[in-house]
Coordinates of all heavy atoms in Angstrom, one line a residue:
M11 N 335.8 -63.0 174.0 CA 336.2 -63.2 172.7 C 335.2 -62.4 171.8 O 334.0 -62.4 172.1 CB 336.1 -64.6 172.3 CG 336.9 -65.0 171.0 SD 337.1 -66.8 170.8 CE 335.6 -67.2 170.1
T12 N 335.8 -61.8 170.8 CA 335.0 -61.0 169.9 C 334.2 -61.8 168.9 O 334.7 -62.8 168.5 CB 335.9 -60.1 169.0 OG1 336.6 -59.2 169.9 CG2 335.1 -59.2 168.1
D13 N 333.0 -61.4 168.8 CA 332.0 -62.1 167.9 C 332.0 -61.4 166.6 O 331.6 -60.3 166.5 CB 330.6 -62.1 168.6 CG 329.7 -62.9 167.7 OD1 330.1 -63.7 166.9 OD2 328.4 -62.6 167.9
F14 N 332.5 -62.0 165.5 CA 332.6 -61.5 164.2 C 331.4 -61.7 163.4 O 331.0 -62.9 163.3 CB 333.9 -61.9 163.5 CG 335.1 -61.0 164.0 CD1 335.9 -61.6 165.0 CD2 335.4 -59.9 163.4 CE1 337.0 -61.0 165.5 CE2 336.5 -59.2 163.9 CZ 337.3 -59.7 164.9
Q15 N 330.8 -60.8 162.7 CA 329.7 -60.9 161.8 C 330.2 -60.7 160.3 O 331.0 -59.9 160.1 CB 328.7 -59.8 162.1 CG 328.3 -59.7 163.5 CD 327.0 -60.6 163.8 OE1 326.0 -60.4 163.1 NE2 327.0 -61.3 164.8
K16 N 329.6 -61.6 159.5 CA 329.9 -61.5 158.0 C 329.3 -60.2 157.4 O 328.2 -60.0 157.6 CB 329.4 -62.7 157.3 CG 329.8 -62.9 156.0 CD 329.3 -64.3 155.4 CE 330.0 -64.6 154.1 NZ 329.6 -66.1 153.7
A17 N 330.2 -59.4 156.7 CA 329.7 -58.2 156.3 C 329.6 -58.1 154.8 O 328.5 -57.9 154.3 CB 330.7 -57.1 156.7
I18 N 330.6 -58.3 154.0 CA 330.6 -58.1 152.6 C 331.8 -58.7 152.0 O 332.8 -58.8 152.6 CB 330.5 -56.6 152.3 CG1 330.2 -56.2 150.9 CG2 331.8 -55.9 152.8 CD1 330.0 -54.6 150.7
P19 N 331.7 -59.1 150.7 CA 333.0 -59.6 150.0 C 333.9 -58.4 149.8 O 333.4 -57.4 149.5 CB 332.5 -60.1 148.7 CG 331.1 -60.4 148.9 CD 330.5 -59.4 149.9
L20 N 335.2 -58.6 150.1 CA 336.2 -57.5 150.0 C 336.0 -56.8 148.6 O 336.2 -55.6 148.5 CB 337.6 -58.0 150.3 CG 338.7 -57.0 150.2 CD1 338.5 -55.9 151.2 CD2 340.1 -57.6 150.3
D21 N 335.9 -57.7 147.6 CA 335.9 -57.1 146.2 C 334.7 -56.1 146.0 O 334.8 -55.4 145.0 CB 335.8 -58.2 145.2 CG 337.1 -59.0 145.0 OD1 338.2 -58.5 145.6 OD2 337.2 -60.1 144.4
N22 N 333.7 -56.2 146.8 CA 332.6 -55.2 146.7 C 332.8 -53.8 147.3 O 332.0 -53.0 147.2 CB 331.3 -55.8 147.3 CG 330.8 -57.0 146.5 OD1 331.5 -57.6 145.6 ND2 329.5 -57.4 146.9
L23 N 334.0 -53.7 148.0 CA 334.3 -52.5 148.6 C 335.3 -51.7 147.8 O 336.4 -52.2 147.5 CB 335.0 -52.7 150.0 CG 334.2 -52.8 151.2 CD1 335.1 -53.0 152.4 CD2 333.2 -51.7 151.4
R24 N 335.0 -50.5 147.4 CA 335.8 -49.7 146.5 C 336.8 -48.9 147.4 O 336.4 -48.3 148.4 CB 335.1 -48.9 145.6 CG 334.3 -49.8 144.5 CD 333.4 -48.9 143.7 NE 334.0 -47.8 143.0 CZ 333.4 -46.7 142.5 NH1 332.0 -46.6 142.8 NH2 334.0 -45.7 142.0
D25 N 338.0 -48.8 147.0 CA 339.0 -48.0 147.8 C 338.5 -46.6 147.9 O 338.2 -45.9 147.0 CB 340.3 -48.1 147.0 CG 341.5 -47.9 147.9 OD1 341.3 -47.6 149.1 OD2 342.6 -48.0 147.4
G26 N 338.4 -46.2 149.2 CA 338.1 -44.8 149.5 C 336.7 -44.3 149.3 O 336.4 -43.2 149.4
I27 N 335.9 -45.3 149.2 CA 334.4 -45.0 149.0 C 333.6 -45.6 150.2 O 333.5 -46.8 150.3 CB 333.7 -45.6 147.7 CG1 334.6 -45.2 146.5 CG2 332.3 -45.2 147.6 CD1 334.5 -43.7 146.1
P28 N 333.1 -44.8 151.2 CA 332.4 -45.3 152.3 C 331.2 -46.1 151.9 O 330.5 -45.6 151.0 CB 332.0 -44.0 153.1 CG 332.9 -43.0 152.7 CD 333.2 -43.3 151.2
Q29 N 330.9 -47.2 152.6 CA 329.8 -48.0 152.2 C 329.1 -48.5 153.4 O 329.7 -49.0 154.3 CB 330.3 -49.2 151.4 CG 329.2 -50.1 151.0 CD 329.4 -51.0 149.7 OE1 330.3 -50.6 149.0 NE2 328.7 -52.0 149.6
S30 N 327.7 -48.3 153.3 CA 326.9 -48.8 154.4 C 326.6 -50.3 154.3 O 326.3 -50.7 153.2 CB 325.5 -48.0 154.5 OG 324.9 -48.4 155.5
V31 N 326.7 -51.0 155.3 CA 326.3 -52.5 155.4 C 325.5 -52.8 156.6 O 325.9 -52.3 157.7 CB 327.6 -53.3 155.4 CG1 327.3 -54.8 155.6 CG2 328.4 -53.1 154.1
I32 N 324.5 -53.5 156.5 CA 323.7 -54.1 157.6 C 324.2 -55.4 158.0 O 324.2 -56.3 157.1 CB 322.2 -54.0 157.4 CG1 321.8 -52.6 157.1 CG2 321.5 -54.6 158.5 CD1 320.3 -52.4 156.8
L33 N 324.7 -55.6 159.2 CA 325.2 -56.9 159.6 C 324.1 -57.9 160.1 O 323.0 -57.4 160.2 CB 326.1 -56.7 160.8 CG 327.3 -55.8 160.6 CD1 328.1 -55.5 161.9 CD2 328.2 -56.3 159.5
P34 N 324.4 -59.1 160.1 CA 323.3 -60.1 160.6 C 322.7 -59.8 161.9 O 321.6 -60.1 162.1 CB 324.1 -61.4 160.7 CG 325.2 -61.2 159.6 CD 325.6 -59.8 159.7
D35 N 323.4 -59.1 162.8 CA 322.8 -58.6 164.1 C 322.0 -57.3 164.0 O 321.7 -56.7 165.0 CB 323.8 -58.7 165.2 CG 324.8 -57.6 165.1 OD1 324.8 -56.8 164.1 OD2 325.8 -57.6 165.9
D36 N 321.9 -56.8 162.7 CA 321.1 -55.6 162.5 C 321.8 -54.3 162.7 O 321.3 -53.2 162.6 CB 319.8 -55.5 163.3 CG 318.7 -56.5 162.7 OD1 318.9 -56.8 161.5 OD2 317.9 -57.0 163.5
R37 N 323.2 -54.4 163.1 CA 323.9 -53.2 163.2 C 324.2 -52.6 161.8 O 324.4 -53.4 160.9 CB 325.3 -53.4 163.8 CG 325.3 -53.3 165.4 CD 326.7 -53.6 165.9 NE 327.1 -54.9 165.6 CZ 328.3 -55.3 165.5 NH1 329.3 -54.4 165.7 NH2 328.6 -56.6 165.3
R38 N 324.1 -51.3 161.7 CA 324.5 -50.7 160.4 C 325.8 -50.0 160.6 O 326.0 -49.0 161.3 CB 323.4 -49.6 160.0 CG 323.4 -49.3 158.5 CD 322.3 -48.3 158.2 NE 322.6 -47.0 158.6 CZ 321.9 -46.1 159.1 NH1 320.6 -46.4 159.3 NH2 322.3 -44.9 159.4
V39 N 326.8 -50.5 159.8 CA 328.1 -49.9 159.9 C 328.5 -49.3 158.7 O 328.0 -49.6 157.6 CB 329.2 -51.1 160.3 CG1 328.8 -51.6 161.7 CG2 329.2 -52.1 159.3
C40 N 329.5 -48.4 158.7 CA 330.1 -47.8 157.6 C 331.5 -48.4 157.3 O 332.3 -48.3 158.3 CB 330.1 -46.3 157.8 SG 331.1 -45.3 156.5
L41 N 331.6 -49.0 156.3 CA 333.0 -49.7 156.0 C 333.8 -48.7 155.1 O 333.1 -48.1 154.1 CB 332.8 -51.0 155.3 CG 332.1 -52.1 156.1 CD1 332.0 -53.4 155.3 CD2 332.8 -52.3 157.4
V42 N 335.1 -48.6 155.3 CA 335.8 -47.9 154.5 C 337.1 -48.7 154.2 O 337.8 -49.2 155.1 CB 336.4 -46.6 155.2 CG1 337.4 -45.8 154.4 CG2 335.2 -45.7 155.6
R43 N 337.4 -48.8 152.9 CA 338.7 -49.5 152.5 C 339.7 -48.5 152.1 O 339.5 -47.6 151.3 CB 338.2 -50.4 151.3 CG 339.5 -51.2 150.7 CD 339.1 -52.1 149.6 NE 340.2 -52.9 149.2 CZ 340.2 -53.8 148.3 NH1 339.0 -54.2 147.7 NH2 341.2 -54.6 147.9
V44 N 340.8 -48.7 152.7 CA 342.0 -47.9 152.4 C 343.1 -48.8 151.8 O 343.8 -49.4 152.7 CB 342.5 -47.0 153.6 CG1 343.6 -46.1 153.1 CG2 341.3 -46.2 154.1
G45 N 343.3 -48.9 150.6 CA 344.2 -50.0 150.1 C 343.8 -51.3 150.5 O 342.7 -51.7 150.3
D46 N 344.7 -52.1 151.2 CA 344.3 -53.4 151.6 C 343.8 -53.4 153.1 O 343.6 -54.6 153.6 CB 345.4 -54.4 151.4 CG 346.7 -54.0 152.1 OD1 346.7 -53.0 152.8 OD2 347.7 -54.7 151.9
R47 N 343.6 -52.3 153.7 CA 343.0 -52.3 155.0 C 341.5 -51.8 155.0 O 341.2 -51.0 154.1 CB 343.8 -51.2 155.8 CG 345.3 -51.6 156.0 CD 346.1 -50.5 156.7 NE 345.7 -50.5 158.1 CZ 346.2 -49.6 159.0 NH1 347.0 -48.6 158.5 NH2 345.9 -49.6 160.2
V48 N 340.8 -52.3 155.9 CA 339.3 -52.0 156.0 C 339.1 -51.6 157.5 O 339.4 -52.2 158.4 CB 338.5 -53.3 155.6 CG1 337.0 -52.9 155.7 CG2 338.8 -53.6 154.2
F49 N 338.2 -50.6 157.5 CA 337.8 -50.0 158.8 C 336.3 -50.0 158.9 O 335.7 -49.8 157.9 CB 338.4 -48.5 159.0 CG 339.9 -48.6 158.9 CD1 340.5 -48.3 157.6 CD2 340.7 -48.8 160.0 CE1 341.9 -48.3 157.5 CE2 342.1 -48.7 159.9 CZ 342.7 -48.6 158.6
A50 N 335.8 -50.1 160.2 CA 334.4 -50.1 160.3 C 334.0 -49.1 161.5 O 334.6 -49.0 162.5 CB 333.8 -51.5 160.7
V51 N 333.1 -48.1 161.1 CA 332.6 -47.2 162.1 C 331.1 -47.2 162.1 O 330.5 -47.7 161.2 CB 333.2 -45.8 161.8 CG1 334.6 -45.6 161.8 CG2 332.5 -45.2 160.5
D52 N 330.6 -46.7 163.2 CA 329.1 -46.6 163.2 C 328.6 -45.8 162.1 O 329.3 -44.8 161.7 CB 328.7 -45.9 164.5 CG 327.2 -46.2 164.9 OD1 326.4 -46.3 163.9 OD2 326.9 -46.2 166.1
D53 N 327.5 -46.3 161.4 CA 327.1 -45.5 160.2 C 326.2 -44.4 160.6 O 325.8 -43.7 159.7 CB 326.3 -46.4 159.3 CG 326.1 -45.8 158.0 OD1 326.9 -45.1 157.4 OD2 325.1 -46.2 157.3
R54 N 326.0 -44.1 161.9 CA 325.3 -42.9 162.3 C 326.3 -41.9 162.9 O 327.0 -42.1 163.9 CB 324.2 -43.2 163.4 CG 323.2 -44.2 162.8 CD 322.4 -44.8 163.9 NE 323.4 -45.5 164.7 CZ 323.1 -46.2 165.9 NH1 321.9 -46.2 166.4 NH2 324.1 -46.8 166.6
C55 N 326.3 -40.7 162.3 CA 327.2 -39.6 162.7 C 326.8 -39.3 164.2 O 325.7 -39.3 164.6 CB 327.0 -38.4 161.9 SG 328.1 -37.0 162.4
S56 N 328.0 -39.1 165.0 CA 327.7 -38.8 166.4 C 327.1 -37.5 166.6 O 326.7 -37.2 167.8 CB 329.0 -39.0 167.1 OG 330.0 -37.9 166.8
H57 N 327.0 -36.6 165.6 CA 326.4 -35.3 165.7 C 325.0 -35.4 165.7 O 324.2 -34.9 166.6 CB 327.1 -34.4 164.7 CG 326.5 -33.0 164.8 ND1 325.8 -32.4 163.7 CD2 326.4 -32.1 165.8 CE1 325.4 -31.2 164.1 NE2 325.8 -30.9 165.3
A58 N 324.4 -35.9 164.5 CA 322.9 -35.9 164.4 C 322.4 -37.1 163.7 O 321.4 -37.1 162.9 CB 322.4 -34.6 163.7
D59 N 323.2 -38.2 163.8 CA 322.7 -39.5 163.3 C 322.7 -39.6 161.7 O 322.1 -40.5 161.2 CB 321.4 -39.9 163.9 CG 321.4 -40.3 165.3 OD1 322.6 -40.6 165.8 OD2 320.4 -40.5 165.9
F60 N 323.2 -38.6 161.0 CA 323.2 -38.8 159.6 C 324.1 -39.9 159.1 O 325.1 -40.2 159.8 CB 323.7 -37.4 158.9 CG 323.3 -37.4 157.5 CD1 322.0 -37.0 157.2 CD2 324.3 -37.5 156.5 CE1 321.6 -36.9 155.9 CE2 323.9 -37.4 155.2 CZ 322.6 -37.1 154.9
P61 N 323.7 -40.7 158.0 CA 324.5 -41.8 157.5 C 325.9 -41.4 157.1 O 326.1 -40.6 156.2 CB 323.7 -42.3 156.4 CG 322.3 -41.9 156.6 CD 322.5 -40.5 157.3
M62 N 327.0 -41.9 157.8 CA 328.3 -41.7 157.5 C 328.6 -42.1 156.0 O 329.5 -41.5 155.4 CB 329.3 -42.3 158.4 CG 329.3 -41.6 159.8 SD 329.5 -39.9 159.9 CE 331.1 -39.7 159.1
A63 N 328.0 -43.2 155.6 CA 328.3 -43.7 154.3 C 327.8 -42.7 153.2 O 328.2 -42.9 152.0 CB 327.7 -45.0 154.1
D64 N 327.0 -41.8 153.4 CA 326.7 -40.7 152.5 C 327.8 -39.6 152.4 O 327.6 -38.8 151.5 CB 325.4 -40.1 152.9 CG 324.2 -40.9 152.6 OD1 324.4 -42.1 152.2 OD2 323.0 -40.5 152.9
G65 N 328.8 -39.7 153.2 CA 329.8 -38.7 153.2 C 331.0 -39.1 152.3 O 330.7 -40.2 151.5
E66 N 332.0 -38.6 152.4 CA 333.2 -38.9 151.6 C 334.5 -38.9 152.4 O 334.6 -38.3 153.4 CB 333.3 -38.1 150.4 CG 333.5 -36.7 150.7 CD 333.6 -35.8 149.4 OE1 333.4 -36.2 148.3 OE2 333.9 -34.5 149.6
M67 N 335.5 -39.6 151.8 CA 336.8 -39.6 152.4 C 337.5 -38.3 151.9 O 337.6 -38.0 150.6 CB 337.7 -40.8 151.9 CG 337.0 -42.1 152.4 SD 336.7 -42.3 154.1 CE 338.5 -42.5 154.6
V68 N 338.0 -37.5 152.8 CA 338.8 -36.3 152.4 C 340.2 -36.4 152.6 O 341.0 -35.5 152.3 CB 338.2 -35.1 153.3 CG1 336.7 -34.8 152.8 CG2 338.2 -35.3 154.8
D69 N 340.6 -37.5 153.2 CA 342.1 -37.8 153.4 C 342.1 -39.4 153.5 O 341.1 -40.0 153.7 CB 342.8 -37.1 154.6 CG 344.2 -37.0 154.3 OD1 344.8 -37.7 153.5 OD2 344.8 -36.1 155.1
D70 N 343.3 -40.0 153.5 CA 343.3 -41.3 153.5 C 342.5 -42.1 154.6 O 341.8 -43.0 154.4 CB 344.8 -41.8 153.8 CG 345.5 -42.1 152.4 OD1 344.9 -41.8 151.4 OD2 346.8 -42.4 152.5
F71 N 342.5 -41.5 155.8 CA 341.8 -42.1 156.9 C 340.8 -41.2 157.5 O 340.3 -41.4 158.7 CB 342.8 -42.5 158.1 CG 343.9 -43.5 157.5 CD1 345.2 -43.1 157.3 CD2 343.6 -44.8 157.4 CE1 346.1 -43.9 156.8 CE2 344.5 -45.7 156.9 CZ 345.8 -45.3 156.6
V72 N 340.3 -40.2 156.8 CA 339.5 -39.2 157.3 C 338.1 -39.2 156.5 O 338.2 -39.0 155.2 CB 340.1 -37.8 157.3 CG1 339.0 -36.7 157.9 CG2 341.4 -37.8 158.0
V73 N 337.0 -39.5 157.2 CA 335.8 -39.4 156.6 C 335.0 -38.1 157.1 O 335.1 -37.7 158.2 CB 334.9 -40.7 157.0 CG1 334.5 -40.8 158.4 CG2 333.6 -40.8 156.1
E74 N 334.3 -37.6 156.0 CA 333.6 -36.4 156.4 C 332.1 -36.5 156.2 O 331.6 -37.1 155.2 CB 333.9 -35.2 155.5 CG 333.3 -33.9 155.7 CD 333.8 -32.8 154.7 OE1 334.8 -32.2 155.1 OE2 333.2 -32.6 153.7
C75 N 331.3 -36.2 157.2 CA 329.9 -36.3 157.2 C 329.2 -35.3 156.2 O 329.6 -34.2 156.2 CB 329.3 -36.0 158.6 SG 327.5 -36.1 158.8
A76 N 328.3 -35.9 155.4 CA 327.8 -35.1 154.3 C 326.8 -34.0 154.8 O 326.5 -33.0 154.2 CB 327.0 -36.0 153.3
L77 N 326.3 -34.1 156.1 CA 325.3 -33.2 156.5 C 325.9 -31.8 157.0 O 325.5 -30.8 156.5 CB 324.4 -33.8 157.6 CG 323.1 -33.1 157.9 CD1 322.3 -32.8 156.7 CD2 322.3 -33.8 159.0
H78 N 326.7 -31.9 158.0 CA 327.3 -30.7 158.6 C 328.8 -30.6 158.5 O 329.4 -29.6 159.0 CB 326.9 -30.4 160.0 CG 325.4 -30.6 160.2 ND1 324.9 -31.6 161.0 CD2 324.4 -29.8 159.8 CE1 323.5 -31.4 161.0 NE2 323.2 -30.4 160.3
G79 N 329.5 -31.6 157.9 CA 331.0 -31.5 157.6 C 331.9 -32.0 158.8 O 333.0 -31.7 158.6
A80 N 331.3 -32.5 159.9 CA 332.3 -33.2 160.8 C 333.1 -34.2 160.2 O 332.8 -34.8 159.2 CB 331.4 -33.8 162.0
Q81 N 334.4 -34.2 160.7 CA 335.4 -35.2 160.1 C 335.7 -36.1 161.3 O 336.0 -35.6 162.5 CB 336.6 -34.5 159.7 CG 336.2 -33.6 158.3 CD 337.4 -33.0 157.7 OE1 338.5 -33.1 158.1 NE2 337.0 -32.2 156.6
F82 N 336.0 -37.4 160.9 CA 336.5 -38.4 161.9 C 337.6 -39.1 161.3 O 337.6 -39.5 160.2 CB 335.2 -39.3 162.2 CG 334.0 -38.6 162.7 CD1 333.1 -38.2 161.9 CD2 333.9 -38.6 164.2 CE1 331.9 -37.6 162.2 CE2 332.7 -37.9 164.6 CZ 331.7 -37.5 163.6
D83 N 338.5 -39.7 162.2 CA 339.5 -40.6 161.8 C 338.9 -42.0 161.9 O 338.4 -42.5 163.0 CB 340.7 -40.5 162.8 CG 341.9 -41.3 162.4 OD1 341.7 -42.5 161.9 OD2 343.0 -40.8 162.6
V84 N 338.9 -42.7 160.8 CA 338.2 -44.0 160.7 C 339.0 -45.1 161.5 O 338.5 -46.1 161.8 CB 337.9 -44.5 159.4 CG1 336.9 -43.6 158.5 CG2 339.3 -44.7 158.5
R85 N 340.3 -44.8 161.8 CA 341.1 -45.7 162.6 C 340.7 -45.7 164.1 O 340.8 -46.8 164.8 CB 342.6 -45.5 162.5 CG 343.1 -45.6 161.0 CD 344.4 -45.0 160.8 NE 344.4 -43.6 161.0 CZ 345.4 -42.8 160.8 NH1 346.6 -43.3 160.3 NH2 345.4 -41.5 161.0
T86 N 340.3 -44.6 164.5 CA 340.1 -44.4 166.0 C 338.7 -43.9 166.3 O 338.3 -43.9 167.5 CB 341.2 -43.4 166.5 OG1 340.9 -42.1 165.9 CG2 342.6 -43.8 166.3
G87 N 338.0 -43.3 165.4 CA 336.7 -42.7 165.5 C 336.9 -41.3 166.1 O 335.8 -40.6 166.3
E88 N 338.1 -40.8 166.3 CA 338.3 -39.5 166.8 C 337.8 -38.4 166.0 O 337.8 -38.4 164.8 CB 339.8 -39.3 167.0 CG 340.3 -38.0 167.5 CD 341.8 -37.8 167.4 OE1 342.5 -38.6 166.8 OE2 342.3 -36.7 167.8
V89 N 337.2 -37.4 166.7 CA 336.7 -36.2 165.9 C 337.9 -35.4 165.5 O 338.7 -35.0 166.3 CB 335.7 -35.4 166.9 CG1 335.3 -34.1 166.1 CG2 334.6 -36.1 167.4
L90 N 337.9 -35.0 164.3 CA 339.0 -34.1 163.7 C 338.5 -32.7 163.4 O 339.3 -31.7 163.3 CB 339.6 -34.7 162.5 CG 340.2 -36.1 162.7 CD1 340.8 -36.7 161.5 CD2 341.4 -36.1 163.8
E91 N 337.2 -32.6 163.1 CA 336.6 -31.2 162.7 C 335.2 -31.3 163.3 O 334.4 -32.3 163.3 CB 336.4 -31.1 161.2 CG 337.8 -30.8 160.6 CD 338.4 -29.4 160.9 OE1 337.7 -28.5 161.3 OE2 339.6 -29.3 160.8
P92 N 334.8 -30.1 164.0 CA 333.4 -30.1 164.5 C 332.4 -30.0 163.3 O 332.9 -29.8 162.1 CB 333.5 -28.7 165.3 CG 334.5 -27.9 164.7 CD 335.6 -29.0 164.1
P93 N 331.1 -30.0 163.5 CA 330.5 -29.8 164.8 C 330.3 -31.0 165.7 O 329.9 -30.8 166.9 CB 329.0 -29.3 164.4 CG 328.8 -29.9 163.1 CD 330.1 -30.0 162.4
A94 N 330.7 -32.2 165.3 CA 330.6 -33.3 166.3 C 331.6 -33.1 167.4 O 332.7 -32.5 167.2 CB 330.9 -34.6 165.5
D95 N 331.2 -33.5 168.6 CA 332.1 -33.5 169.7 C 332.2 -34.8 170.4 O 333.0 -34.9 171.4 CB 331.7 -32.4 170.7 CG 330.4 -32.4 171.2 OD1 329.8 -33.5 171.0 OD2 329.9 -31.5 171.8
E96 N 331.6 -35.8 169.8 CA 331.7 -37.2 170.4 C 332.3 -38.1 169.3 O 332.0 -37.9 168.1 CB 330.3 -37.8 170.7 CG 329.6 -37.1 171.8 CD 330.2 -37.4 173.2 OE1 330.7 -38.5 173.4 OE2 330.1 -36.6 174.1
P97 N 333.2 -38.9 169.6 CA 333.8 -39.8 168.7 C 332.8 -40.8 168.1 O 331.8 -41.0 168.7 CB 334.9 -40.6 169.5 CG 334.5 -40.5 170.9 CD 333.8 -39.2 171.0
L98 N 333.1 -41.4 166.9 CA 332.3 -42.5 166.3 C 332.7 -43.7 166.9 O 333.9 -44.0 167.0 CB 332.6 -42.5 164.9 CG 331.9 -41.6 163.8 CD1 332.4 -41.9 162.4 CD2 330.4 -41.7 164.0
P99 N 331.8 -44.6 167.3 CA 332.1 -45.9 167.7 C 332.8 -46.6 166.6 O 332.3 -46.5 165.4 CB 330.8 -46.6 168.1 CG 329.9 -45.4 168.4 CD 330.3 -44.3 167.5
I100 N 333.9 -47.4 166.8 CA 334.5 -48.2 165.8 C 334.4 -49.6 166.1 O 334.2 -50.0 167.3 CB 336.1 -47.8 165.7 CG1 336.7 -48.0 167.0 CG2 336.2 -46.3 165.2 CD1 338.3 -47.8 166.9
F101 N 334.6 -50.4 165.2 CA 334.5 -51.9 165.3 C 335.7 -52.6 164.7 O 336.3 -52.1 163.7 CB 333.2 -52.4 164.7 CG 332.0 -51.8 165.1 CD1 331.4 -50.7 164.4 CD2 331.4 -52.0 166.4 CE1 330.3 -50.1 164.8 CE2 330.3 -51.4 166.8 CZ 329.7 -50.5 166.1
E102 N 336.1 -53.7 165.3 CA 337.2 -54.5 164.9 C 336.8 -55.1 163.6 O 335.7 -55.5 163.2 CB 337.4 -55.6 165.8 CG 338.9 -55.8 166.3 CD 338.9 -57.0 167.3 OE1 338.2 -57.0 168.2 OE2 339.8 -57.9 167.0
V103 N 337.8 -55.2 162.5 CA 337.5 -55.7 161.3 C 338.6 -56.8 161.0 O 339.7 -56.7 161.3 CB 337.7 -54.7 160.2 CG1 337.6 -55.3 158.8 CG2 336.5 -53.7 160.3
K104 N 338.2 -58.0 160.4 CA 339.1 -58.9 159.8 C 338.7 -59.3 158.4 O 337.5 -59.3 158.1 CB 339.3 -60.0 160.8 CG 338.1 -61.0 160.8 CD 338.4 -62.2 161.7 CE 337.3 -63.2 161.7 NZ 337.4 -64.4 162.5
V105 N 339.7 -59.5 157.6 CA 339.4 -60.0 156.2 C 339.9 -61.4 156.2 O 341.1 -61.7 156.5 CB 340.1 -59.1 155.2 CG1 339.9 -59.6 153.8 CG2 339.7 -57.6 155.4
D106 N 339.0 -62.3 155.8 CA 339.3 -63.7 155.8 C 338.8 -64.4 154.6 O 337.5 -64.2 154.4 CB 338.9 -64.3 157.0 CG 339.3 -65.9 157.3 OD1 340.2 -66.2 156.5 OD2 338.7 -66.4 158.1
G107 N 339.5 -65.0 153.7 CA 339.0 -65.7 152.6 C 338.2 -64.8 151.7 O 337.2 -65.1 151.0
G108 N 338.6 -63.4 151.6 CA 338.1 -62.5 150.6 C 336.8 -61.9 151.2 O 336.1 -61.2 150.4
T109 N 336.5 -62.3 152.4 CA 335.3 -61.6 153.1 C 335.6 -60.7 154.2 O 336.6 -61.0 155.0 CB 334.4 -62.8 153.6 OG1 334.0 -63.6 152.5 CG2 333.1 -62.3 154.3
V110 N 334.9 -59.6 154.3 CA 335.1 -58.7 155.4 C 334.1 -59.1 156.6 O 333.0 -59.3 156.4 CB 334.8 -57.2 155.1 CG1 335.0 -56.3 156.2 CG2 335.7 -56.8 153.8
W111 N 334.8 -59.3 157.8 CA 334.1 -59.6 159.0 C 334.2 -58.4 160.0 O 335.3 -57.8 160.1 CB 334.6 -60.8 159.6 CG 334.5 -62.1 158.7 CD1 335.3 -62.4 157.7 CD2 333.5 -63.2 158.9 NE1 335.0 -63.6 157.1 CE2 333.9 -64.0 157.9 CE3 332.5 -63.4 159.8 CZ2 333.1 -65.2 157.7 CZ3 331.8 -64.5 159.6 CH2 332.1 -65.4 158.6
V112 N 333.1 -58.1 160.7 CA 333.0 -57.0 161.6 C 332.8 -57.5 163.1 O 331.8 -58.3 163.3 CB 332.1 -56.0 161.2 CG1 332.0 -54.8 162.3 CG2 332.4 -55.4 159.8
G113 N 333.6 -57.1 164.0 CA 333.5 -57.6 165.4 C 332.6 -56.7 166.3 O 332.1 -55.7 165.7
G114 N 332.5 -57.0 167.5 CA 331.7 -56.2 168.4 C 330.3 -56.8 168.4 O 330.0 -57.7 167.7
T115 N 329.6 -56.1 169.4 CA 328.2 -56.6 169.5 C 327.2 -55.4 169.3 O 327.6 -54.2 169.6 CB 327.9 -57.3 170.8 OG1 328.4 -56.3 171.8 CG2 328.7 -58.6 171.0
A116 N 326.0 -55.7 169.1 CA 325.0 -54.7 169.0 C 324.8 -54.1 170.3 O 324.8 -54.8 171.3 CB 323.6 -55.3 168.5
P117 N 324.5 -52.8 170.5 CA 324.3 -52.1 171.7 C 323.0 -52.6 172.3 O 322.1 -53.0 171.7 CB 324.3 -50.6 171.4 CG 324.1 -50.4 169.9 CD 324.5 -51.8 169.4
Ligands
FES435 S1 325.1 -35.0 161.3 FE1 327.1 -35.3 160.8 S2 328.0 -33.4 161.2 FE2 326.0 -33.1 161.7

């Protein structure tokens, strides 16, 4: 069973603006709100560990790393543009009672 950690009130997430959140288990995740859906990816770019939340959304589900421009699909973690060649870890998300919860466990 997935262990969900309390992340942030949904109202604190702005549509299309990546946001870094530290979970109670010390994982740092990058949350992305797209309309009424929320996605969570590792906040460290798979290319050189730069914070993904410092990047920006360049399409509905595409986040671009601010350091070297790698792009990832926030739904799957898939690399869409180099120089990254490893996907971003993604985490399950649920929204309950106006709060965003993130699943998975710390590595
Ligand atoms: S650190 Fe993200 S593209 Fe290089």
